Amino acid sequence: TTVIDELDSSLHPTLLRDFVSLFADPDTNPKGAQLIFSTHDVTLMTRTSPMEAVLERDQVWFVEKDSEGDSQLIAAMEYSPRANENLGRNYLNGVYVPLPNPSFHQLVAQLMKEGADING
């Protein structure tokens, strides 16, 4: 078992897909080594064709932080996704876990406005 935090931080998305795919291929992983990693790259679970996602729905887990900062691990399968569901698109649309609220843009705009009000 190999565990890597933020696997996508130093890899081009194409190389990331190729690297993760090595673990799913019996020719390149004949002994069934396991890869556990965190990433913010949704392309690994995004389908642009029926067979194109690198990760299957039973291989995807989401992490959600509560108001106290504690993390909860949630299997994508808990949401009962269809076999051909586009997990990446749905994740970005807030189907599985809530989207950041307020958004980063809203937060920065509010801070800029408050700074302008203070500096008059």
Side-chain angles (χ1 to χ4, degrees):
T1 301
T2 301
V3 180
I4 303 173
D5 186 27
E6 298 292 340
L7 180 59
D8 59 323
S9 67
S10 296
L11 291 175
H12 185 279
T14 302
L15 292 175
L16 177 64
R17 291 176 70 84
D18 286 347
F19 179 76
V20 172
S21 294
L22 291 173
F23 283 82
D25 185 345
D27 290 335
T28 56
N29 187 10
K31 295 189 178 185
Q34 186 177 33
L35 175 65
I36 300 171
F37 64 95
S38 65
T39 183
H40 288 98
D41 187 339
V42 298
T43 64
L44 296 173
M45 61 181 179
T46 301
R47 293 188 187 282
T48 55
S49 70
M51 298 305 293
E52 196 169 316
V54 173
L55 298 174
E56 295 300 325
R57 59 194 174 138
D58 62 343
Q59 297 173 307
V60 175
W61 292 70
F62 304 111
V63 176
E64 184 176 3
K65 284 191 177 187
D66 64 20
S67 60
E68 308 261 328
D70 295 330
S71 298
Q72 181 180 7
L73 195 60
I74 306 162
M77 293 302 288
E78 289 187 32
Y79 298 96
S80 303
R82 296 179 316 276
N84 63 347
E85 190 164 318
N86 192 329
L87 294 177
R89 183 187 65 221
N90 287 347
Y91 172 78
L92 290 175
N93 287 322
V95 171
Y96 310 119
V97 293
L99 296 174
N101 187 17
S103 73
F104 184 72
H105 182 143
Q106 291 170 327
L107 185 59
V108 170
Q110 181 63 34
L111 290 171
M112 296 297 290
K113 182 178 186 291
E114 289 172 7
D117 291 343
I118 290 171
N119 296 321

